[in-house]
Amino acid sequence: MASKDTINYINYSKYPIDQFENDVDGKYNYLLQNSIKQMNRDGFVSLPSFLLPDAVDKLTSCILKLEEDGVGFYSTDSHNVFLDADDQSDAMSPLHPRRIQLDSSKLIINASDLLLAKEAQAPNLDELFMSQRSVLNFISSVMQTKLYPSTDPYGKFYANIFREGDGLNYHFDRSEYSISLILQPSEEGGEFQFLPNSRTIVEGWDEMILDIDDIAEAVAPHSLEMKRPKLAAGDLYLFRGQNSLHRVSEITKGKRINIILTFNTEPDVRLNQYTLQKFFGVI
């Protein structure tokens, strides 16, 4: 689908990010300043109903069609918190964040499969979002640094499908910044739990803390608070996942579907082999 059809996907009437070069009524600047304030306050930006309802329906139906056709990799591998090669140092506890093995499971439909999904009539997410000037300018302005779309052929964008019993355990992303487009929240469970600007603190732990209340107690002296935003279909979340511990709690009812778009402060950034193997099945 050509980029000229983006207007059918992004709710420009509510979020006039396309007016960044001609902000006659000041609505773009108002949105930008409020988003910067939210990022500074909460560590993420939430834009409810960023996608139009028809866009949500279109994207969801395409992804479900691909799932029905057997497209995607069902990841069940355990992983450490930093999504990097395990540190086998004898001086390090097996429960250290760099050594502890956490269980996650979900179906991932990678960027390559989404771009090739002609039978499912999947929109071109590269054109719709990744290389869209209005999107790139807005998120760069919010983060106050120039961002580049990731170029990994599998992980630059991808769809997540969480079924009952699935979840994504605590981790820090390999990409610096991510946009999550919520297409279908689960009926129960599937909560997004996010601890902004926590990487340095977690790196200093001798043992990984897993209970959410214990984590809250441990980070309280650092004036940090676990964020647990409510998710709705069509919402956009922009966050710095590489610097912020986060997870998706176990889905206990229904199916959770979202799309992840990834960005970095340097061009031509790709995922490491550890992440590609664990979550995308690429060896």
Side-chain angles (χ1 to χ4, degrees), residues 253-264:
K253 184 178 181 181
K255 185 178 290 187
R256 185 186 193 273
I257 305 172
N258 70 319
I259 289 173
I260 297 291
L261 316 170
T262 63
F263 302 85
N264 294 279

Side-chain angles (χ1 to χ4, degrees), residues 48-77:
S49 301
F50 179 81
L51 294 177
L52 294 167
D54 286 349
V56 173
D57 291 343
K58 171 70 174 179
L59 290 165
T60 304
S61 64
C62 289
I63 291 168
L64 289 174
K65 176 67 166 60
L66 291 171
E67 179 192 25
E68 181 183 336
D69 292 344
V71 177
F73 176 72
Y74 188 62
S75 168
T76 58
D77 248 351

